[in-house]
Amino acid sequence: MIKKWLISVLSALLVLGSGIGAINAQAADTITGVNASAALAIDADTGQILYQNNADQVLPVASISKLLAVLVILDEIKAGQISWDTKVTISEEIAAVSTDTTLSNIALNAGQQYTVKQLVDAALIKSADGATLALSTMNDTISSFNEKMQTKAKALGINDAQIYNAVGLQNKDLGSLKVAEQADDVENAMSAKDVAKISQAIVEKYPEILKITATKTATFDTTEMTNLNEMLPGNASAVADYTTDGLKTGTSDAAGESFAGTGTYQGHRIITVILHANGISRFTQTANMINDIIGKYDPVTIDGTTSFDKATTVTVPNGKSVKLSTKFVGKTTLWLPKGTGLKSLTHQLHYKNGKLEAPIKKNQTIGSLTLSGKQLSFLDSDNIKIDLKAKTVDEKANLIVRTWRSVFGS
């Protein structure tokens, strides 16, 4: 009898426990408001991860691929290989893709020339597949441009991306341009972290591109284009106190509704990634993610005026001043849970040459401070290093003083 009673109690506890787990899981979903195959939010400058879910899994990304393609084009413009005014002549094959109404497109006329600027605008504002293919084949084949994108991805620390074309279509959708040695159903795939790294590279190296991605309407030749990004200011999905100005949508059967976004909150830029939104709109999920971050974290700026406990006062054993005040180099933002501050972080000081010796010049970089904590996680590490400079000059103490200190201490 007792044995049966114990079994009944244990069974009831197991059921209750599983129910509590389900309630907690639902509560977590309600708090974040994110239901996607993968999601990620980072600080654009530092790469600090503000939210992540399944961010390492490689998934189809559809037209988000165009960000990597445009990044290659931007590098070539910077290198002087092409310019914004370079004319691109449209081939019959590209024209055929551009008039396929089952794809995201703006019709291009065979034999007509368009500038690189026109085609980039069409690729980023309207997600035009034909325009993107025209960019990728103006000096390359589909395959050779793929190699350029793969090389660029690896340079960004991306080693798991699957790249088959510049637009994110399945190989068979390219018609006569499809790559013969690839299967018909192959499709570009990346992880949310991969997408974030590409987005981060664009906004860091080419912030002027945000003028294009923030454009709500524009004219291509005689065609009116409306930006597919529903989070731009004034749109229904815009977030209060957060100004969205990019970046790129992606939609396919395999990728679902996906979105790589960026915007600023109190002057601090955030990059978001939603891959394959489930049920709720990709824009609503992004808005929920942003609002959750704003509600939970404060952006704390570290610069030359920041005081960090005693960590920025260092010991110079052979200096006239044994204690030397330092300051942080540049400006860095860390997102910390509301109600906490820099003192909640663990710090470790690293001297430039392993030890600190006078003479030291004013503004000389003397080492770096590593900041870490359970709330700190970055794309490629679990800490951040910030350089330290001397606030003042510290000359070397004379021999008598140094001898005295070695005998009697400082």
Side-chain angles (χ1 to χ4, degrees):
M1 185 66 129
I2 293 175
K3 185 176 179 181
K4 287 183 179 180
W5 177 81
L6 283 172
I7 291 172
S8 299
V9 171
L10 288 172
S11 299
L13 288 172
L14 285 171
V15 170
L16 179 60
S18 63
I20 292 172
I23 291 170
N24 287 338
Q26 290 172 359
D29 287 343
T30 301
I31 292 171
T32 60
V34 175
N35 181 14
S37 296
L40 178 69
I42 66 166
D43 178 274
D45 293 326
T46 65
Q48 182 185 353
I49 295 173
L50 308 176
Y51 176 85
Q52 65 175 325
N53 176 44
N54 204 27
D56 291 305
Q57 184 177 350
V58 176
L59 297 164
V61 293
S63 285
I64 288 177
S65 308
K66 293 182 174 94
L67 290 177
L68 181 57
V70 169
L71 183 55
V72 171
I73 296 298
L74 293 172
D75 283 345
E76 292 185 346
I77 292 173
K78 184 178 181 180
Q81 297 169 348
I82 57 175
S83 75
W84 286 110
D85 296 322
T86 296
K87 298 287 183 66
V88 182
T89 303
I90 304 303
S91 67
E92 295 283 353
E93 294 82 2
I94 296 293
V97 172
S98 77
T99 54
D100 186 340
T101 56
T102 65
L103 308 177
S104 178
N105 262 324
I106 290 177
L108 305 173
N109 299 316
Q112 188 169 338
Q113 291 187 325
Y114 302 92
T115 66
V116 166
K117 177 63 165 60
Q118 285 179 297
L119 296 172
V120 169
D121 284 356
L124 294 179
I125 296 172
K126 184 63 175 175
S127 194
D129 293 326
T132 309
L133 284 173
L135 287 168
S136 69
T137 56
M138 62 178 162
N139 294 318
D140 288 280
T141 64
I142 297 290
S143 294
S144 64
F145 194 80
N146 289 349
E147 291 176 4
K148 287 183 177 181
M149 289 195 295
Q150 290 161 0
T151 298
K152 185 62 185 178
K154 288 180 180 178
L156 297 176
I158 299 170
N159 299 306
D160 52 3
Q162 299 166 18
I163 307 295
Y164 301 105
N165 55 67
V167 292
L169 293 172
Q170 288 193 346
N171 191 35
K172 64 184 178 183
D173 294 327
L174 300 183
S176 61
L177 291 172
K178 74 177 184 178
V179 180
E181 58 268 25
Q182 299 290 352
D184 280 354
D185 61 350
V186 293
E187 185 172 341
N188 294 354
M190 305 176 194
S191 69
K193 284 186 178 178
D194 295 339
V195 173
K197 288 179 180 179
I198 294 166
S199 302
Q200 186 181 31
I202 288 177
V203 300
E204 179 182 350
K205 289 186 66 178
Y206 306 108
E208 65 274 14
I209 211 71
L210 294 171
K211 292 180 181 179
I212 298 175
T213 58
T215 301
K216 296 180 75 171
T217 59
T219 302
F220 179 93
D221 205 5
T222 59
T223 303
E224 290 297 316
M225 299 186 296
T226 300
N227 200 314
L228 301 179
N229 184 352
E230 296 178 13
M231 294 191 70
L232 294 176
N235 289 348
S237 297
V239 178
D241 301 321
Y242 180 82
T243 304
T244 298
D245 51 12
L247 273 167
K248 190 72 196 67
T249 57
T251 308
S252 73
D253 290 342
E257 288 194 358
S258 299
F259 178 54
T262 189
T264 55
Y265 170 72
Q266 295 184 357
H268 305 286
R269 181 165 294 282
I270 295 173
I271 289 170
T272 60
V273 182
I274 292 287
L275 298 183
H276 203 151
N278 298 314
I280 308 171
S281 157
R282 55 189 156 185
F283 304 114
T284 300
Q285 295 202 38
T286 301
N288 289 340
M289 190 158 50
I290 291 297
N291 283 321
D292 194 41
I293 291 166
I294 292 173
K296 288 180 179 177
Y297 297 96
D298 283 324
V300 178
T301 299
I302 302 172
D303 58 21
T305 65
T306 303
S307 175
F308 186 74
D309 201 12
K310 297 179 181 179
T312 48
T313 301
V314 298
T315 301
V316 188
N318 69 334
K320 278 187 177 181
S321 298
V322 178
K323 297 296 182 182
L324 175 68
S325 293
T326 67
K327 59 184 178 181
F328 291 107
V329 177
K331 183 181 288 187
T332 302
T333 296
L334 294 179
W335 297 75
L336 302 176
K338 288 184 180 296
T340 68
L342 292 173
K343 289 183 179 180
S344 66
L345 302 178
T346 301
H347 63 268
Q348 187 173 5
L349 186 62
H350 306 272
Y351 294 124
K352 191 172 183 181
N353 298 312
K355 59 181 178 179
L356 196 56
E357 290 186 338
I360 295 172
K361 298 177 181 179
K362 183 179 180 179
N363 290 325
Q364 176 183 330
T365 300
I366 60 96
S368 62
L369 198 67
T370 298
L371 301 177
S372 58
K374 64 180 181 179
Q375 67 269 46
L376 285 188
S377 177
F378 300 84
L379 282 177
D380 295 312
S381 69
D382 58 0
N383 59 53
I384 187 169
K385 288 185 179 180
I386 307 174
D387 287 340
L388 293 173
K389 284 186 177 181
K391 278 188 177 180
T392 59
V393 172
D394 194 3
E395 300 291 349
K396 189 175 183 178
N398 62 43
L399 180 61
I400 295 174
V401 172
R402 299 201 310 272
T403 303
W404 177 275
R405 288 175 183 168
S406 66
V407 175
F408 300 103
S410 57

